[in-house]
Amino acid sequence: METGSTFCPKWHSALWLLLLMMLSFFHAAKAEITCRSCQPGNKWRARELLLNFDTSGSSAGLKREVLGRGDGAAGRARAAGGGSRRLRCAAGSADCAPDEAEYTGPRLGRNTRSLRANGDIGESEFAKTKVSYVKMSGQRRSSDGAGLPSAVSLKRRTRRNSGKDEARSPRAARRQDPGEGTGSAAARRVTRSELRRSGEERRAAGPRQEELKLNSSTFALTGDSSHNQAMVHWSGQNSSVILMLTKLFDFNLNSVTESSLWRSTDYGATYQKLNDKVGAKTILSYLYVSPNNKRKIMLLTDPDVESSLLISSDEGATYQKYRLNFYILSLLFHPEQEDWILAYSHDQKLYSSVEFGRRWQLVHERVAPNRFYWSKMGLDKEPGLIHLETSISEGQALYVTCKLQNCTDANKGKPFPGYIDPNSLVVQDEYVFVQVSTAGRPIYYVSAKRDVFTPMKLPKYTLPKDLHVISTDENRVVAAVQEWNQNETYNLYVSDTSGVYYTLALENVVSSMGHEGNVMVNLYEVAGIKGMFLANRKTDNQVKTHITYNRGRDWRLLQAPSKDLRGNNIHCVLPYCSLHLHLQVSANPYTSGNIASRESAPGIIVASGSFGSELTPSNVSVYITSDAGNTWRQIFDEEYAVLYLDQGGALVAIRHTPLPIRHLWLSFDEGRQWNKYSFTNTPLFVDGVLGEPGEETLIMTIFGHVSHRSEWQLVKIDFRSIFNRRCTEADYQTWHLHNQGPQGEPCLMGVKRIYRKLKPTSRCVMGKMYSVSMTSGLCECTEADFECDYGYERRSNGNCSPAFWFHPSSMSRSCTTGMTFLNSTGYRKVVSNNCTAGVSVEYTARRRQCPVLAPKGLHLVTSEGTVTATLGINVTFLVFLEEGDGARTSINLDFGDGHALTYSNVSSIEDGIKHIYRAVGIYRVIATGENSLGSEAAMLYLHVTCQLEYIHLSAPFVAVRNKEVNLTAVLWPSQVGTVTYIWWIGNNTEQPVITLEGSVACMFSREGINTVTVQVSAGNTILQDRKTIAVHEYFRSHLLAFSSNLDDHNPDVAEWRLDVSRVIKNSLIQATAVREDKLLVAVLPGVPTAAEFFLLPDKQLTEGKPEKTAAHLDQLSEVLLSALNQNLVQFTLRPGVQVTVYAAHLSAAPLVDTSENHSSSAMLMLLSVVVVGLAVFVVYKFKRKIPGLNVYAQMQNEKEQEMMSPANPTEATPGSQRDLVHSLEILDTELNSRPIEVKWSRVGQNQS
């Protein structure tokens, strides 16, 4: 009511004082209103500051929740308005909500930031629509209403609030912000926005006249003042039961420390505390409700204390406790069977229960999160079938189907042949989608009615970066595609009934990103009017709202209201000025976003927005249309939450304000007039609103508190008392639906629709028996009833013409000779359009005889889309024919390994052709299609590989300066496929040498220790080995032998040889007193154990002269050989094992000299080398190893190719590491036995 003042002449001084106070008061109020309308930036910044108040979470209370998603499926809107401040994870937006039954519903909290209620506060529109935010590559899913949230979740506005808004699954919420659960369609999450204070509410605190009051009662939850979270469930369905779970979440401990369970049986007038019935010490975390039977309640305890379930079958009156041996992360209820539940655990395991959680059975392990679905009646073979995605590796997954109670390997189905990309499985209505990436580009496959998978056909050069399935209702798919040249916008594409062929519906639709990475597309489907959508499109960097009445065939701008709220004229002329709406709905079914409509009130849409050249976040007002978007009226110039009552017969509005309120507004004439009502005597901080589930919605509960530290206050409002009577037929009128066109075309989607609506002057209750009645008449088809067919584009003149890349003849590729096909005219009727006759014959595809064509466009690929295969593992080849008679075209497939298969027609190989390769190699696979008119061939080079397990670098232990040496990398298995060798030689560590051969020749120009490193890359495996080479100009070497007991303890590994070499060297030094830096020892690989020592000259004594060097080395050799011949060199390998070292050969090697001067002594040395070479040859011939003098020589690299030839598929590979060592010995023996060219020197033998 308005406040007033009375004039009294004798109170002049008091009057002046009063006028001064009033001027001051009104000046303040006006300033605040002006700030709101002219300086809105402050409001948005304040909102953002609150949202991000403490993202670090360092304080115990600085965290909070936002409105959550109502179900696992979808909402009618796909987006938040572009540029709106609500894009920051707005209250109730799907981008803040978890999937499936991950939470019971919206959470009530005192730190709320948005008081929003859905237009049908008692009914979930989400359960009625099959729209989802599904990302093919990834994260969001739908469940057709199954597993809807069971409760409203609310949070108190206390100092324990936070600016971080995230909706999570129960386990995730426990870690960061708890309180989420799952359940029925009767659940929701409610929070309160901190909006501006209004002068109206301030004035309400002063003296007031008689005011209108609502029938209400208040109940305080005594003892729960410290609880900062609540979850509420109202059963509905003629039930008066309300359950409320309040909790104290400690953000320091990151867990729930207290909980209370309340139950009301009188529509919320009074509540009873049930802690004794569930256990006084039991701490409850989540509330779940069966979507098919609201009487069945499930409570989940805090797993940090105990992991158990409490189950009730009488609407929460009594409970039974059952223990759990796993942690529930999310739930998915069956859409029809009330006791069937799927539970996803924290360790990626999927469990099932057919007894409403009383017993659980493991279904499958390594299941991708949110990628499991119940079967759909009429499409799947049995009701207990589960569709799920299992993880195989980091980049691979499988789509399998499983029986509910018998998920064994024998009973698993694999509908898609081959691997799919992780997190890409989407099962929605009659369609199944998967994604397979090939060469970095995604390929999307679709299966309609559980048929075979077919690649989705987008326009050829769409080249999608991202694809989301928006809708699958009405037997067609709506997909949002982000193309290669888009960053923040998406193009909308619509399919035919098969879901295969797509055409463009609308370009550059605005999108936003949710906190969990899900994309929100600004597309809203209007409830109650089939084929009507609203979308926000970006054009020339301006976001404008468009409307369509025929499923995207035509789009128009919205006409702004002709007058504002005060009756002033609005000059807004299309197309320069229009009305723009924020299209974000609450993802929670019982809280509103920026726009609302409902099935029971066709044509009525309430939305917030602004008019002008583009959509802006400032000057936001609330608008309403009663004629399906043709005309709009402004009803508030500030933000309000507008809710539907009595099936849309009345509207209730609650102002957004951060201050306590006690009033709401009611309208009985579709928003033309509003009456103010008080719902409580004491102003209340409103935390959330819960409406009675169902269509009637005449009882509402408002949750709040009178102060920051008070108990929860629950105000029950009964609206039935404000209605005079029940509605009769005289209270209704007819309304003819028409579009926004210049002439108001009444034929929409091929029919004329006439609805029955309540008269604006009637103030009566429609009640539960009311149903939207509609009469319709068919219309003749016009060009507007047809959209462009696949491969055709709409030109500026409105005609559909073939795109430059499209060949109309290719549409007959699946034809069979003697059969017929539909020859497109370039048009196809819009799906669900019911027009008849008219231009139907002209635009409808004509049936033609299938032409006889030679095969053309033959494609050969592997099922994984790769050109690699693993040795011994089945590889599946897929053959596709673009044009030609597939039934009469034979296919011959040559695998390239001497095997080939021939099939009589293409249709006989739809599941692929499997083959196993027995040898590594590169195979040329050829597919040939042939019929009586010609042939076509396709070729594929397939790399067959096996796993590389071990490599060994064979290199000399000592090398001669400036002399070539061979470095060889030996592989096991020896044949692994295409191999790349990367070498780092000596000091050249920055520029490696890359070869396809396993051997390289090199030389070292400086004396000293040089390091050689080789890496071998085979497929995804890279292995490495490293050796050190001592480079000297002069040295002398001798072979060593050992007592036989050493062989018994030789494991023949490199580390053992290094350790024994060090022990031998120390023993030689101890026995001969030779300087450590003049002696090198290397144990050679293989058994019997052999070694070699190298003597280096002292350059200070020899002065670098060959004669002195030879004499010095002779002297050192005699000392060492004498000690060896006298058995003075011994060492202890282990207690009781004494090993004696012998000289394997008594003659010394010739002096190594690289000078060009030849002498008689040098010739003698050369002769001795030849003798030794002959001796080695004899040893090789007789397969014996005689200890003696090893000769080192430079030789040419004759290593064979690493790639096995396909022509020799039976060649064997080493079977063990012992085989590898044996092959190394053979390699060393072959090197020693080959003809060599000696120039004064012995070149070192390869080391281990």
Side-chain angles (χ1 to χ4, degrees), residues 345-362:
S345 70
H346 67 290
D347 53 356
Q348 294 187 321
K349 294 180 180 179
L350 187 66
Y351 296 84
S352 67
S353 174
V354 294
E355 302 177 52
F356 198 71
R358 293 175 176 84
R359 292 183 181 86
W360 295 93
Q361 177 178 337
L362 179 65

Side-chain angles (χ1 to χ4, degrees), residues 1173-1187:
L1174 292 174
V1176 172
F1177 178 78
V1178 171
V1179 171
Y1180 173 76
K1181 278 297 184 181
F1182 288 92
K1183 307 296 183 183
R1184 295 179 57 194
K1185 184 175 181 66
I1186 300 177

